[in-house]
Amino acid sequence: MYLESFGLKEHPFRLSPDPRFLFLSKQHARARAYMESTVWFSDGFVVVTGEIGAGKTTLLEQFLSELDDGVTVARIHQTQVTAVQFLQSVLAQFGIRPFNMRKAELLDALSTHLRELLAEGRRVVIVVDEAQNLDTTVLEEIRMLSDVGPGAGRVVSIILAGQPELNATLDSPELEQLAQRTRLRFHLKALTEAETEAYIRHRLTIAGAEEEIFAPEVFPLVYRYTGGVPRLINTLCDTAMLVAFSEERGTVSADDLREAVEELQWTDYASRTNRFRAGVTLDQDIIARIVVSCRGEEPQEYPLPRGRFVIGRTPDNDIQLDSRFVSRHHAHLTVGHNSAIIEDLKSTNGIYFGGRRVRRKTLKDGDAVIIGEHELLYREGDFDGSATGTQFDAELEEEREED
């Protein structure tokens, strides 16, 4: 009934990756070209990163579905594994039962099999999805795989796909050799407003739409509430279509979209991803500030009420530090009426105070911590003095005493 009311043959906004529905924006097309290049050059690595829901997996599915029969593919999904488990997974992808082998036997079996494929004139592509979860020992084993085959005859092409923190891992000193082998890196960003409209129309067309289903005023609203993130677009559009269907309408209006937003309990994308950009602190008592400085950039000042604030590289943080030296979620800052505590969230490059790496630091007025290339200066003040101790402040005081 749902499909018939809109004149569709299949669901246009499923969340599961389907290469038939891939929308090739300029950046998606470029990322695919990079992946194709590593197959034909058979050397080095290609790294493709993107935020959650940016379309990495769908892009990989489409890329792999178009490889010819002369390419052998091993695709690894489970990445929270040891080096031995990773090697076992690769061999299993090649149809070899490796589970009783020791590491030396695994390496020998894998090297032998890859050389046999080379002798047959085949190419091999190893694709690792969710590669941000790999630890450095596994990444080093992956680097070693790229050495199979003499000189220009290397048989292995390796594609690492993952969330942005993968780049920070690859930039660590212990992986310098792997970074040098990486020929191309590409980061998938969210779609623009124009691309968001094209994306929606594309998926509806693939699903069989022959008439307009979304009113023109719906598209800017979709972008406002999704930020151009494909997975969020799918969720919102599908919900809006269900709202219209429940009202027995074959088109989606702006009111249907707004009702869908209410059902999902979303606010606009900017306010969900950065409280400071949305200005929500303006109605609260400001008791401190963080001044963020980086060479070559204008300092930015963030007013701080009581609360907890996440610091990291991506837009979903309260304080965004857009740098490859900063992890996706790098640290959190807990602000009480009389003190503040910054704590490392198991980041790659850590937090530094006074030239020393610290896991946790109670901040006083004038203290500055270093995160990557950024200095964060903590300044107390700009409060009206009327605020009194709260349960939150009591909890923070307990944390400070434990520090």
Side-chain angles (χ1 to χ4, degrees), residues 167-390:
N167 280 320
T169 300
L170 294 177
D171 288 332
S172 60
E174 58 266 37
L175 291 175
E176 182 178 355
Q177 292 188 64
L178 191 151
Q180 291 177 359
R181 297 279 182 89
T182 302
R183 289 199 306 112
L184 298 167
R185 288 192 192 183
F186 191 80
H187 180 70
L188 286 173
K189 299 179 181 178
L191 303 177
T192 65
E193 184 171 347
E195 288 172 336
T196 296
E197 179 175 347
Y199 172 89
I200 294 169
R201 293 184 181 279
H202 169 78
R203 293 190 73 101
L204 288 169
T205 299
I206 297 300
E210 296 181 352
E211 298 180 357
E212 293 291 336
I213 293 177
F214 284 71
E217 61 268 22
V218 169
F219 298 111
L221 289 173
V222 172
Y223 181 75
R224 174 183 173 185
Y225 287 102
T226 66
V229 177
R231 188 177 299 170
L232 298 180
I233 296 171
N234 289 357
T235 298
L236 182 55
C237 287
D238 186 60
T239 306
M241 290 178 71
L242 285 171
V243 170
F245 172 70
S246 69
E247 298 294 332
E248 299 183 349
R249 290 193 297 271
T251 58
V252 177
S253 68
D255 287 340
D256 294 326
L257 196 285
R258 293 188 182 96
E259 188 171 337
V261 168
E262 290 182 8
E263 289 189 7
L264 293 167
Q265 299 182 20
W266 286 2
T267 57
D268 62 276
Y269 185 75
S271 66
R272 298 204 309 277
T273 55
N274 191 312
R275 284 181 278 168
F276 292 110
R277 278 195 297 242
V280 300
T281 62
L282 296 180
D283 295 329
Q284 304 176 48
D285 293 328
I286 305 305
I287 61 176
R289 296 176 183 273
I290 281 285
V291 181
V292 178
S293 303
C294 184
R295 183 178 301 175
E297 300 178 6
E298 287 292 323
Q300 288 186 284
E301 188 174 273
Y302 296 87
L304 302 173
R306 286 190 302 277
R308 289 182 170 86
F309 305 92
V310 182
I311 302 168
R313 186 186 63 254
T314 57
D316 60 323
N317 291 277
D318 298 305
I319 299 175
Q320 183 185 10
L321 307 179
D322 189 7
S323 168
R324 64 191 178 95
F325 299 106
V326 179
S327 295
R328 177 184 174 84
H329 297 128
H330 198 106
H332 69 71
L333 179 68
T334 306
V335 180
H337 185 58
N338 297 312
S339 62
I341 296 172
I342 190 168
E343 185 169 2
D344 190 7
L345 294 176
K346 297 183 179 179
S347 65
T348 300
N349 295 315
I351 302 169
Y352 286 80
F353 177 79
R356 182 172 60 90
R357 183 166 181 168
V358 295
R359 183 188 67 82
R360 175 185 174 102
K361 173 64 181 173
T362 297
L363 299 177
K364 301 176 182 178
D365 183 37
D367 281 348
V369 295
I370 303 297
I371 295 180
E373 299 173 313
H374 291 78
E375 179 187 81
L376 282 69
L377 175 65
Y378 176 73
R379 299 308 304 262
E380 295 177 348
D382 288 334
F383 57 95
D384 59 12
S386 63
T388 59
T390 64

Side-chain angles (χ1 to χ4, degrees), residues 67-100:
L67 292 176
D68 61 42
D69 294 338
V71 181
T72 298
V73 177
R75 184 171 180 185
I76 308 301
H77 299 273
Q78 294 293 333
T79 52
Q80 292 181 324
V81 294
T82 65
V84 167
Q85 291 169 334
F86 177 82
L87 295 171
Q88 290 173 334
S89 297
V90 175
L91 281 168
Q93 287 283 304
F94 292 136
I96 300 171
R97 296 185 60 82
F99 302 108
N100 293 323

Side-chain angles (χ1 to χ4, degrees), residues 21-51:
F21 282 87
L22 177 67
F23 172 71
L24 279 179
S25 67
K26 289 183 179 180
Q27 56 177 335
H28 284 79
R30 185 176 173 187
R32 186 179 68 172
Y34 282 2
M35 291 190 288
E36 289 172 348
S37 72
T38 195
V39 175
W40 306 120
F41 286 117
S42 292
D43 67 336
F45 296 75
V46 166
V47 176
V48 178
T49 57
E51 303 298 340

